[in-house]
Amino acid sequence: MITSTDILRKLDFFTEPGLKEELAQHGQVASFNKGDVIVRDGQYVKFLPIVLKGAIRVFQQSEDREILLYYVRADETCTMSLAAAYFNNKSTSHGVVTEPTDVLIFPAGMIEQWQLKYPSWNRYMMQMFRTRYDQLINSFQGVAFENIDTRVMDYLKNAARKANNQSVTLSHQQLADELGTTRVVVSRILKDYEHQNKIRLFRGRIELLS
Amino acid sequence: MITSTDILRKLDFFTEPGLKEELAQHGQVASFNKGDVIVRDGQYVKFLPIVLKGAIRVFQQSEDREILLYYVRADETCTMSLAAAYFNNKSTSHGVVTEPTDVLIFPAGMIEQWQLKYPSWNRYMMQMFRTRYDQLINSFQGVAFENIDTRVMDYLKNAARKANNQSVTLSHQQLADELGTTRVVVSRILKDYEHQNKIRLFRGRIELLS
DNA sequence: TCAGAACGGTATCAAAAGATACACAAGCAA
DNA sequence: TTGCTTGTGTATCTTTTGATACCGTTCTGA
């Protein structure tokens, strides 16, 4: 079980003691399992989450297509929720937990109060907005200018680097979803890469060579 | 000539008298002409601009391609500059004036101070971040899921609506740049639309019918 | 152990969009 | 006027990607 002491130790980029106290006081820890839906399109956002452990996949959906915005990982918050909560708007995206996840949630109203009191809170928000925006630009650049084979390889290398492991556990379908294309296309490209000895394919797993 | 009184009257979503005073005190009005470069990739951002009149085109460039992020128009600020200024980073994008433009600029350092003093300043920043992010998602959706012919028509309708005019002054090349494609493709599509009696083409001008 | 789901391989076809090339017209400056 | 630049029309060809269909394999739960 996570205690408030843990929280204070963990979120140490919040430097003001007062802010830490408020985080512990107004915040509540909630745990979720893979598949749990944290935010839904059309729902009002009353609480802002900061992920302590795990990951939330945030995406938008329109008919059959979906567009991946970002993952919220440890120490991060969801800027879509932040904006929606701040303006008391409905969410325009979905947030789904992809692995066992602990989240610190607190009432939307705190956001505005903390802005006026705690510089490190402002830094945090600015940092989050900037990171998300950069990420989105990156994805955009990818979709606009790179061929899918390149994007597949970029994704794999990135995933391998993050996991610190040459082996990426992922099905072709999942990979297709991440890149906004179809399974057949991904399978085709992966097979090519395998023939070029750049990767090796297993069921549900892709291994990077070199 | 724009006076400080003008500024106070214009930016009336800044509700605190103190903030208005500071805007007038620390801010300077600068005028630019079409083609002037306000921000350059790689440059440090020491001043934050708020556009009073006109428009700045903000985009990123990589080799031959460019990606349009947004236009900064009256009452708006450039979130890329805002983030860069706040963190004392170099800019990663270009800002070019596309029509005669007046800008209120003030030192980057004010941003953090105002966050702690003026709620309406915080609202303003949040609003800008949200708007830019939504716009980028929209463009992304377009590029990812719409065919170019649809995007061309969307762009034209949008431009016509904004200008409150069925006639859009724009060359095929410019339109191609906005959409991140090539002139030939745009010409082809426009010709099709003309044959379908949806538009009429002139040199440097496109007229929407219906 | 058996059925069904999830996973992956592959072939065929079609559509979308980029690349290239060339022609001509309109506008502009010397 | 002449020559240069900008804008536009159009044809041809190729590449990339998506759509569809069908197959076998592996895994999992009843």
Side-chain angles (χ1 to χ4, degrees):
Chain A
M1 186 53 203
I2 296 185
T3 68
S4 52
T5 323
D6 290 333
I7 296 171
L8 301 195
R9 192 169 41 235
K10 210 167 153 22
L11 305 176
D12 60 358
F13 39 83
F14 293 133
T15 49
E16 295 87 3
L19 177 52
K20 288 198 172 183
E21 275 170 37
E22 293 208 43
L23 281 166
Q25 183 190 335
H26 298 286
Q28 288 202 339
V29 177
S31 294
F32 298 92
N33 293 314
K34 179 169 175 168
D36 287 354
V37 179
I38 291 194
V39 197
R40 215 178 291 271
D41 187 358
Q43 238 174 16
Y44 282 99
V45 182
K46 301 290 188 190
F47 294 90
L48 184 68
I50 293 182
V51 169
L52 300 171
K53 183 176 76 75
I56 306 170
R57 184 173 197 272
V58 179
F59 60 98
Q60 288 196 342
Q61 231 169 2
S62 59
E63 288 118 64
D64 51 337
R65 320 270 199 158
E66 71 176 47
I67 183 171
L68 172 65
L69 297 182
Y70 47 79
Y71 282 87
V72 189
R73 300 183 192 281
D75 296 341
E76 298 178 347
T77 191
C78 172
T79 49
M80 292 299 285
S81 295
L82 178 53
Y86 188 89
F87 291 107
N88 198 29
N89 284 147
K90 291 175 186 169
S91 173
T92 55
S93 36
H94 299 267
V96 177
V97 173
T98 58
E99 55 187 270
T101 296
D102 293 328
V103 171
L104 178 67
I105 58 173
F106 44 79
M110 306 314 298
I111 301 169
E112 199 161 359
Q113 294 180 35
W114 291 346
Q115 284 179 331
L116 297 171
K117 285 157 76 178
Y118 305 117
S120 71
W121 173 251
N122 283 323
R123 296 221 137 230
Y124 179 71
M125 291 205 327
M126 293 287 288
Q127 182 66 59
M128 288 310 306
F129 276 121
R130 199 174 69 131
T131 305
R132 298 299 182 221
Y133 200 78
D134 285 349
Q135 285 172 344
L136 195 57
I137 290 178
N138 256 331
S139 305
F140 196 173
Q141 298 253 21
V143 171
F145 302 133
E146 308 292 348
N147 290 345
I148 293 200
D149 50 358
T150 311
R151 297 204 294 133
V152 165
M153 185 52 83
D154 287 352
Y155 185 94
L156 290 177
K157 286 191 175 164
N158 212 324
R161 192 177 46 72
K162 268 190 202 153
N164 201 21
N165 190 331
Q166 287 302 95
S167 182
V168 182
T169 302
L170 202 66
S171 76
H172 297 188
Q173 182 61 61
Q174 285 174 309
L175 186 42
D177 286 344
E178 295 289 291
L179 298 177
T181 180
T182 62
R183 200 271 307 166
V184 184
V185 170
V186 169
S187 293
R188 184 156 68 201
I189 290 164
L190 288 176
K191 209 56 186 170
D192 278 355
Y193 278 136
E194 190 176 42
H195 286 147
Q196 297 168 37
N197 277 320
K198 295 187 177 169
I199 61 177
R200 260 205 303 178
L201 296 177
F202 303 88
R203 187 184 173 89
R205 189 166 69 82
I206 300 161
E207 197 181 307
L208 282 161
L209 306 179
S210 83
Chain B
M1 188 54 203
I2 295 184
T3 69
S4 53
T5 323
D6 289 334
I7 297 172
L8 301 194
R9 190 169 44 232
K10 207 164 153 28
L11 305 175
D12 61 356
F13 40 84
F14 294 133
T15 48
E16 297 88 2
L19 177 53
K20 288 198 173 183
E21 274 170 39
E22 293 207 44
L23 280 166
Q25 184 190 334
H26 298 286
Q28 287 202 339
V29 177
S31 294
F32 297 93
N33 293 312
K34 178 168 178 172
D36 287 355
V37 179
I38 291 194
V39 197
R40 214 179 293 269
D41 187 358
Q43 239 173 18
Y44 282 100
V45 182
K46 300 291 186 189
F47 294 89
L48 183 68
I50 294 181
V51 168
L52 301 172
K53 182 175 76 74
I56 305 171
R57 185 172 196 272
V58 179
F59 59 98
Q60 288 195 345
Q61 231 169 2
S62 60
E63 291 118 66
D64 51 338
R65 320 269 199 158
E66 72 175 48
I67 184 171
L68 172 65
L69 297 182
Y70 47 79
Y71 281 85
V72 189
R73 298 182 194 280
D75 294 342
E76 298 178 348
T77 191
C78 172
T79 50
M80 292 298 287
S81 294
L82 178 54
Y86 188 88
F87 290 106
N88 197 30
N89 284 147
K90 292 175 186 170
S91 172
T92 55
S93 36
H94 298 268
V96 177
V97 172
T98 58
E99 56 187 89
T101 295
D102 293 327
V103 170
L104 179 67
I105 59 174
F106 44 81
M110 308 313 299
I111 300 169
E112 200 160 0
Q113 294 181 34
W114 291 346
Q115 283 179 330
L116 297 171
K117 286 156 76 178
Y118 305 117
S120 71
W121 173 251
N122 283 323
R123 297 221 135 231
Y124 178 71
M125 290 203 329
M126 294 287 289
Q127 181 66 59
M128 287 311 306
F129 277 121
R130 197 172 71 130
T131 305
R132 297 299 181 219
Y133 201 77
D134 285 350
Q135 285 171 345
L136 196 55
I137 290 177
N138 256 331
S139 305
F140 196 174
Q141 298 252 22
V143 172
F145 301 135
E146 308 292 348
N147 291 344
I148 293 201
D149 51 358
T150 312
R151 295 205 294 132
V152 165
M153 185 53 86
D154 287 352
Y155 185 93
L156 291 177
K157 286 190 176 163
N158 212 323
R161 191 177 46 70
K162 268 189 202 156
N164 201 22
N165 190 332
Q166 286 304 94
S167 181
V168 181
T169 303
L170 203 65
S171 76
H172 296 187
Q173 183 61 62
Q174 285 175 309
L175 186 41
D177 287 344
E178 295 290 289
L179 298 176
T181 180
T182 62
R183 200 270 309 168
V184 184
V185 171
V186 168
S187 293
R188 184 155 70 202
I189 290 165
L190 288 176
K191 210 53 186 173
D192 278 356
Y193 279 136
E194 190 176 41
H195 286 148
Q196 298 168 36
N197 276 321
K198 295 185 176 169
I199 61 176
R200 259 205 303 177
L201 296 177
F202 304 87
R203 188 185 173 89
R205 190 165 69 81
I206 301 162
E207 198 181 307
L208 282 161
L209 305 179
S210 88

